[in-house]
Amino acid sequence: MYFAALLARTEDGWEASDTELDDVETLSDLADLAREASPDEDTVLVLIEQEDAWFGVVRVDGEEDPRIYVSDAAAAARSSYGEILLTDELLGRDPDDGDVLDALDLDGTEDGESDEDDDDAEAGAGTAGATDVPHGPVGDALILDDLGVSEKELRLMSTDAVTEIAESLGASETLETVR
């Protein structure tokens, strides 16, 4: 189970809205959703929490690139919503790695090898990407620093981080209206 909410900072304070991420497939989709919540290009936070296993914060300030913090990348990698946040850039990967080899059709049969050897190799191929995702936090730990949540405070948050963040921002009552 997950909970996701948008907190938009306005002249009158924070406004919260519950959000469904079912139609969100990429970080760009998520950023667009956040921008729609604030037509005045104010700061918008997307807070995502999944089963007390991990939480993520995406900050969108106008048309700037979104800033991201994920509390536990390994846990988030096992979630479809977490995968949206765990971009190659966030994980320090070169997005072009492997594209050249992936485009080639090297099934091994050219050298007289059997297809059975290939099946064994493909069975283990899907786990390679998961092993290079770090356990623990990734991203911009200073994402909320100017809003009153220090890097240390953010890293210490765990089970009910979304509520703790809202309390620190003075938006807990606003968030509770959509919870």
Side-chain angles (χ1 to χ4, degrees):
M1 197 66 178
Y2 77 95
F3 173 74
L6 294 172
L7 283 179
R9 191 163 90 180
T10 67
E11 292 177 5
D12 301 326
W14 291 97
E15 290 182 8
S17 57
D18 187 14
T19 187
E20 285 295 323
L21 300 179
D22 295 339
D23 295 332
V24 174
E25 295 180 9
T26 66
L27 182 59
S28 293
D29 293 344
L30 189 60
D32 290 344
L33 184 68
R35 287 184 184 105
E36 289 172 13
S38 178
D40 296 331
E41 296 190 8
D42 293 319
T43 297
V44 178
L45 302 175
V46 181
L47 305 173
I48 303 171
E49 188 173 69
Q50 184 150 18
E51 297 176 354
D52 298 329
W54 66 275
F55 70 92
V57 179
V58 178
R59 179 176 177 162
V60 178
D61 293 302
E63 290 301 316
E64 292 181 29
D65 288 340
R67 295 166 56 193
I68 305 164
Y69 175 83
V70 176
S71 67
D72 186 339
R78 294 186 295 269
S79 159
S80 59
Y81 301 114
E83 287 178 347
I84 293 169
L85 305 182
L86 296 175
T87 62
D88 288 333
E89 181 181 346
L90 189 71
L91 296 173
R93 294 182 191 151
D94 182 359
D96 296 327
D97 282 351
D99 286 349
V100 174
L101 291 178
D102 290 342
L104 298 175
D105 184 17
L106 301 176
D107 65 1
T109 57
E110 294 85 4
D111 296 327
E113 295 177 23
S114 72
D115 286 337
E116 291 175 23
D117 294 337
D118 257 358
D119 294 341
D120 294 340
E122 287 177 18
T127 59
T131 59
D132 61 354
V133 175
H135 290 274
V138 295
D140 184 356
L142 296 173
I143 193 168
L144 301 173
D145 195 55
D146 65 323
L147 299 174
V149 181
S150 71
E151 175 181 1
K152 181 180 179 182
E153 291 171 312
L154 189 61
R155 289 186 187 272
L156 290 174
M157 291 180 183
S158 58
T159 58
D160 198 12
V162 169
T163 300
E164 290 178 52
I165 290 169
E167 285 175 4
S168 297
L169 299 174
S172 57
E173 289 180 23
T174 304
L175 181 68
E176 284 305 312
T177 62
V178 297
R179 213 182 244 280

